[in-house]
Amino acid sequence: MVDISPTALGSSATSDIFQILRDGRPRTRTELARVTGLARSTVGLRIDSLLQLGLIGPADAAPSTGGRPSSQFALTGGNKVVLAVDIGATHVRIAVSDLVGRPLSEDAADIPVAKGPEEVLHWVIAAGDKLVREAGRSVDDLLAIGVGLPGPVEHSSGRPINPPIMPGWDNVDVPERLQAHFHVPVLVDNDVNIMALGEREVAWPEVDHLIFVKVATGIGAGVISRGMLQRGAQGVAGDIGHVRVYRDNDAICHCGNVGCIEALASGPALAKALTEQGLAAETSQDVVELVRAGNPKAIQAVRQAGRDLGEILNACISLINPSVIVLGGAMARAGEHLIAGVREVVYARSMPLATQHLQITQSSVGANAAVLGASILAIHHVLSPESVEAMVVDLADAVGR
Ligand SMILES: [Zn+2]
């Protein structure tokens, strides 16, 4: 039977070829024909579609086997771009990136998220327009927007739900607000999830089982299992901040419970504990500076925070069996003292097989992990098989018209 629907004519096979090229390694038509089992002429047509869409480009010529060198193709930055937005507790960072995740233009502003969605999203829209221009692109080149928010986000709708530090944002339709201006898909996730994506992309591309733990004003984790970010049923998988630590403590948490890890080991919790011991500390940064100055009380407090965190992570390790745990966020800048506390408890209590090859380490991407992760979120959406197929169908329609 000969199927002559537009899909059979190209989109799914084109998407298949594209998914193979997504790893960035250049390949020839012959190689692609061998891997896909398609005829070389068919591969040629599909390559032409991807070239027209600007998703791939010619790479360096393959070594010649006599005769003329055959051309190679690979994923390229191309003209298409995504907008990445990291909305933090006290700042907004934004970047326009190409489809390989390279930032082309960037901006940042100290706008507290507590100013509310009107002011923050107004700035994002104005800055987004400006950055697309600065990157030498037009809004037609924009394919998607990725946004990170500092609170729980319902994955199916992209709406923040009861976010504790985001007054005025509860249930706000963030995707709709940005879509009304930019007319492209908008993906919203919590900041820890996008940091996990960013960290993995840059530092651990080969690792499929990773937990990223953010220790800052709050505490949360982003879980990557079998190479996929795990969001759970509603989008709050990894939200470990309010798990109770069972040591003798009556720390009251802002969530209303007692003894949450966030009430013991977050930056503000440590600052409060140190203030009670007569030291001057208000923020995560103050605690980090005391540790860096070698203050024994601060070092002790951070190390204990690491042990408390280790208790919670033991349960996570049993459940997920990660090969890497990355500690990020402002408190991670306290360096080895926090990590040493985590390791102390994890290696003492976890099953030997689970810790045999487990690495526990500090974030290497740092403050840019979130904006980078937001771009990855958008790029993964744009380059998904469904999305590439839709682009190929649109292209075929445009050519047919
Ligand atoms: Zn709590």
Side-chain angles (χ1 to χ4, degrees):
M1 193 185 82
V2 181
D3 185 347
I4 52 163
S5 68
T7 306
L9 283 175
S11 63
S12 88
T14 310
S15 168
D16 289 349
I17 289 176
F18 179 69
Q19 298 307 324
I20 293 167
L21 289 168
R22 269 187 70 178
D23 66 3
R25 188 167 78 75
R27 290 176 179 81
T28 63
R29 288 187 180 88
T30 313
E31 269 182 285
L32 287 166
R34 195 173 57 233
V35 175
T36 57
L38 296 166
R40 202 164 169 280
S41 56
T42 312
V43 169
L45 289 170
R46 308 294 179 258
I47 293 277
D48 287 346
S49 298
L50 291 170
L51 287 168
Q52 279 186 57
L53 286 168
L55 295 177
I56 64 165
D60 294 344
S64 175
T65 51
R68 66 188 175 90
S70 44
S71 300
Q72 289 186 312
F73 301 93
L75 175 65
T76 60
N79 276 333
K80 302 298 182 189
V81 290
V82 296
L83 186 62
V85 185
D86 161 32
I87 298 175
T90 57
H91 69 266
V92 185
R93 289 193 194 89
I94 181 166
V96 165
S97 303
D98 65 17
L99 296 187
V100 285
R102 276 186 302 242
L104 303 172
S105 53
E106 296 170 88
D107 201 359
D110 291 326
I111 308 174
V113 73
K115 289 272 186 190
E118 293 303 327
E119 187 168 338
V120 173
L121 295 178
H122 180 78
W123 185 86
V124 166
I125 287 170
D129 277 337
K130 182 188 69 145
L131 290 183
V132 168
R133 278 198 307 277
E134 280 178 17
R137 305 298 200 277
S138 80
V139 282
D140 292 338
D141 295 318
L142 185 65
L143 293 181
I145 301 174
V147 183
L149 293 177
V153 174
E154 184 182 60
H155 181 57
S156 58
S157 66
R159 292 167 184 248
I161 304 294
N162 293 321
I165 61 161
M166 298 171 64
W169 289 80
D170 184 30
N171 213 22
V172 167
D173 195 340
V174 176
E176 196 273 332
R177 301 264 181 114
L178 295 178
Q179 235 156 19
H181 182 83
F182 291 106
H183 310 291
V184 292
V186 179
L187 297 306
V188 184
D189 213 326
N190 77 65
D191 56 351
V192 188
N193 279 352
I194 62 168
M195 287 167 92
L197 285 176
E199 184 78 26
R200 184 196 181 222
E201 186 79 9
V202 171
W204 306 95
E206 309 296 326
V207 169
D208 282 340
H209 302 275
L210 176 148
I211 298 178
F212 182 95
V213 186
K214 180 189 177 192
V215 189
T217 308
I219 293 178
V223 178
I224 290 172
S225 187
R226 295 188 72 179
M228 300 284 290
L229 185 64
Q230 303 299 319
R231 298 185 173 91
Q234 310 296 335
V236 289
D239 208 347
I240 57 172
H242 303 282
V243 177
R244 174 153 200 184
V245 177
Y246 279 96
R247 72 172 160 87
D248 184 24
N249 84 86
D250 53 3
I252 296 170
C253 182
H254 60 84
C255 75
N257 275 322
V258 171
C260 301
I261 181 69
E262 199 164 292
L264 286 174
S266 66
L270 291 174
K272 185 163 168 273
L274 291 175
T275 304
E276 282 164 8
Q277 295 180 52
L279 295 169
E282 272 180 39
T283 62
S284 304
Q285 190 53 38
D286 296 340
V287 177
V288 169
E289 273 161 25
L290 283 167
V291 169
R292 285 185 176 163
N295 183 290
K297 284 178 182 166
I299 291 173
Q300 218 169 39
V302 165
R303 200 164 174 122
Q304 182 57 44
R307 289 189 200 105
D308 290 341
L309 200 56
E311 297 281 349
I312 308 295
L313 290 175
N314 272 336
C316 301
I317 291 165
S318 299
L319 205 58
I320 309 289
N321 186 199
S323 46
V324 176
I325 293 177
V326 180
L327 298 178
M331 283 312 303
R333 289 196 273 272
E336 282 300 312
H337 298 291
L338 184 71
I339 293 174
V342 173
R343 286 187 184 131
E344 202 183 304
V345 170
V346 164
Y347 291 125
R349 294 292 305 273
S350 281
M351 290 290 123
L353 187 58
T355 52
Q356 198 173 20
H357 300 294
L358 174 65
Q359 294 187 63
I360 302 172
T361 182
Q362 195 176 345
S363 165
S364 57
V365 183
N368 286 329
V371 74
L372 180 74
S375 72
I376 301 298
L377 188 67
I379 291 167
H380 281 188
H381 174 81
V382 164
L383 302 185
S384 68
E386 300 76 25
S387 170
V388 171
E389 278 171 35
M391 281 192 259
V392 175
V393 170
D394 285 351
L395 182 71
D397 285 353
V399 171
R401 237 176 266 137

